[in-house]
Amino acid sequence: MTVAGATIRASEEFAPPGPGSFELPPVFADVTKPMILLTLSVVVIFAVTYAMARKSAVVPGRLQFAGEYVYGFVRNGIARDSIGSQDFMRYVPYLFSLFTFVLLNNYYGIIPFLQFPSFSRASFAYALAGLTWLIYNGAGVAKHGLVGYLKLQTLPAGVTGPILLLIVPLEFASNILVRPVTLALRLFANMFAGHLLLILFAVGAEYLIFESGNGLYIPVGILSFVLGIAVSFLEVLILFLQAYVFTLLSAMYIGSAIADEH
Amino acid sequence: MHEIVLASEEPMPLAVEWSEVVLALVVFAILFFLIRKFVVPAFEKAYADRTAAIEGGMKEAAEAQAEAKAALEKYTEQLSEARHEAARIREEAREQGATIVAEMRDQAREEADRITATAHAQIEAERVQAVQQLRAEVGGVATSLAGRIVGESLEDEARQRRTVERFIAELESQPQRDGADR
């Protein structure tokens, strides 16, 4: 377990895990573990997806079928449904990269020995959310022009009169300013909290069983350990869900930016 | 390990670490270009090939079905045509038979008429011949009889002819009377 910062003090006093648990020391120079993991993910994702896609056989093998299942999920389930069948193909490479990238980096959190979800480092999430922000606004401006795009994003159809004074700034804030922030924070906070929870159960169990010096705490420690496993299973779902939500929202933002009318 | 964590005093998880932002953008950009260049086209190719294969199969099946249907229609048509033809031939044969019978009947009637006509002509000719013969014989007999009765020779050419002609004129008026009686 990544227990950095967990057992700082002497064994008599329990030190709960906190934000410090995510400030990992550099492995070499200024390079930290999440940086290595993030870079590794690119190699792994490309190697796996390329191996799946390479043959592009009409009758797929098991590997290709699995790849096509994931690809089809992003292509049809996310991109086409959110962007519409006319323009979605342009964004499929981005969305597929995004989904696999976030998914694998999330699952790092429960892979033994790696055990660190990259996006519990907020800056990584900022980078991807910023990229999505650039892409959906860029696509909207390219299609409608700057004024047309701002109109589309800030003027709901059918609204007139003085209420516009209220609606326009609100729409602008929610569609242009807040979206990247919520996108980044949602991913980051889920990874951060989930991982913190796992650390807490693991470290807590360790402390209660081995270091508390009180035999009565041992069953509680075991309960904590079991709960930690249960939370891990919950995490399996959440890690996937966050990757899905991040990709889906990116696709929906793109879709709404290049939509003709509301 | 612990020293470093303690050294960074209050960790701020939300702070922007620019080195991490840049790293994330760079590695993601690499991933994006690799996927766009190699992975997505391969998957799309598989999709397109499969779609083509399935559609091709379906098209072939539809073509085969259409062909079979056309063949069936053709055969049905030919069959009904053949039936029509047979009926037509039968009708024709019947008509032809009727025509032949009628023709034969006409021919027979004509033949009969012809035979009747020939018989009439022959009878007429024989009658005429008999009349002429009779005229010649009756002339000679009558002359000689008259010469005997009158006692006067009617050998004289002119006188004899005059006498005969008068007799024949009488004779010729006689069958007309007979004809009127018949």
Side-chain angles (χ1 to χ4, degrees):
Chain A
M1 270 284 161
T2 43
V3 290
T7 51
I8 297 164
R9 310 281 172 75
S11 58
E12 288 84 35
E13 212 174 321
F14 177 63
S21 307
F22 295 84
E23 301 289 340
L24 300 186
V27 177
F28 59 88
D30 274 339
V31 178
T32 58
K33 180 178 168 183
M35 290 179 172
I36 295 172
L37 288 180
L38 199 74
T39 313
L40 179 69
S41 72
V42 170
V43 178
V44 172
I45 291 168
F46 178 66
V48 171
T49 54
Y50 185 63
M52 286 166 164
R54 189 170 46 92
K55 281 189 207 150
S56 54
V58 172
V59 180
R62 219 176 298 176
L63 194 66
Q64 191 188 334
F65 185 79
E68 277 178 9
Y69 188 80
V70 178
Y71 179 74
F73 174 70
V74 176
R75 178 190 191 268
N76 301 334
I78 297 178
R80 195 173 60 189
D81 289 358
S82 307
I83 301 177
S85 51
Q86 237 178 347
D87 306 308
F88 79 102
M89 262 326 288
R90 290 186 60 199
Y91 302 99
V92 166
Y94 174 69
L95 294 171
F96 184 62
S97 311
L98 198 62
F99 180 71
T100 52
F101 189 64
V102 176
L103 189 70
L104 180 61
N105 278 295
N106 285 355
Y107 273 118
Y108 279 161
I110 52 166
I111 294 174
F113 304 113
L114 302 180
Q115 274 163 329
F116 189 90
S118 311
F119 289 106
S120 61
R121 300 292 302 167
S123 299
F124 292 153
Y126 295 158
L128 290 192
L131 209 54
T132 289
W133 185 82
L134 281 178
I135 285 172
Y136 84 77
N137 286 319
V141 171
K143 175 150 189 200
H144 302 288
L146 185 60
V147 178
Y149 174 64
L150 284 176
K151 240 187 208 169
L152 178 76
Q153 288 289 42
T154 57
L155 278 178
V159 178
T160 49
I163 193 86
L164 282 174
L165 288 175
L166 198 63
I167 290 285
V168 169
L170 273 177
E171 288 283 310
F172 182 81
S174 94
N175 290 344
I176 309 287
L177 301 181
V178 176
R179 273 177 179 179
V181 180
T182 56
L183 202 57
L185 288 184
R186 183 183 302 110
L187 178 60
F188 155 73
N190 271 287
M191 295 308 105
F192 187 86
H195 193 58
L196 196 63
L197 204 59
L198 286 180
I199 298 175
L200 181 65
F201 277 116
V203 174
E206 189 194 8
Y207 179 80
L208 288 171
I209 295 170
F210 299 112
E211 293 167 32
S212 63
N214 187 337
L216 289 175
Y217 287 162
I218 290 178
V220 186
I222 291 171
L223 180 67
S224 167
F225 184 71
V226 171
L227 277 176
I229 292 173
V231 170
S232 293
F233 280 109
L234 181 67
E235 280 294 294
V236 171
L237 180 67
I238 291 173
L239 299 176
F240 165 78
L241 222 53
Q242 287 309 314
Y244 174 63
V245 165
F246 196 97
T247 315
L248 181 68
L249 284 176
S250 294
M252 284 170 65
Y253 293 163
I254 293 169
S256 75
I258 63 174
D260 287 329
E261 266 303 322
H262 281 293
Chain B
M1 196 185 200
H2 302 159
E3 286 75 14
I4 291 154
V5 173
L6 289 174
S8 60
E9 292 183 7
E10 277 290 296
M12 299 201 297
L14 286 175
V16 178
E17 298 277 354
W18 285 108
S19 59
E20 288 182 342
V21 171
V22 171
L23 177 78
L25 288 178
V26 169
V27 297
F28 183 75
I30 292 169
L31 179 68
F32 169 70
F33 284 114
L34 287 175
I35 287 205
R36 195 177 69 167
K37 185 96 173 56
F38 298 106
V39 177
V40 169
F43 276 132
E44 288 299 324
K45 184 176 171 295
Y47 270 145
D49 289 354
R50 194 165 308 144
T51 309
I54 291 169
E55 274 178 359
M58 269 157 53
K59 204 176 147 205
E60 243 167 55
E63 268 171 14
Q65 205 168 10
E67 228 168 71
K69 207 174 161 195
L72 181 68
E73 266 171 22
K74 205 175 105 187
Y75 291 142
T76 313
E77 198 183 320
Q78 278 178 350
L79 192 64
S80 77
E81 238 170 56
R83 281 211 189 104
H84 275 291
E85 182 76 11
R88 197 179 59 72
I89 287 169
R90 226 167 21 231
E91 190 67 25
E92 224 170 59
R94 199 162 49 215
E95 271 173 23
Q96 224 165 7
T99 315
I100 287 168
V101 168
E103 250 171 40
M104 293 302 276
R105 197 175 289 152
D106 284 353
Q107 239 173 345
R109 196 183 299 132
E110 268 171 29
E111 188 70 17
D113 285 353
R114 197 177 55 74
I115 288 167
T116 312
T118 313
H120 277 305
Q122 207 172 348
I123 289 166
E124 182 64 25
E126 274 168 12
R127 194 184 66 83
V128 169
Q129 203 182 357
V131 167
Q132 274 173 356
Q133 215 173 338
L134 201 62
R135 189 183 289 171
E137 274 173 28
V138 167
V141 171
T143 309
S144 62
L145 280 179
R148 235 174 271 167
I149 294 166
V150 177
E152 180 186 351
S153 179
L154 289 175
E155 302 286 299
D156 185 293
E157 193 62 34
R159 207 179 282 168
Q160 189 177 353
R161 186 174 296 149
R162 219 167 31 241
T163 312
V164 171
E165 275 177 3
R166 196 181 60 239
F167 178 74
I168 282 175
E170 277 170 21
L171 203 68
E172 274 187 344
S173 68
Q174 212 164 358
Q176 276 181 345
R177 245 181 284 137
D178 287 355
D181 286 344
R182 262 197 312 237

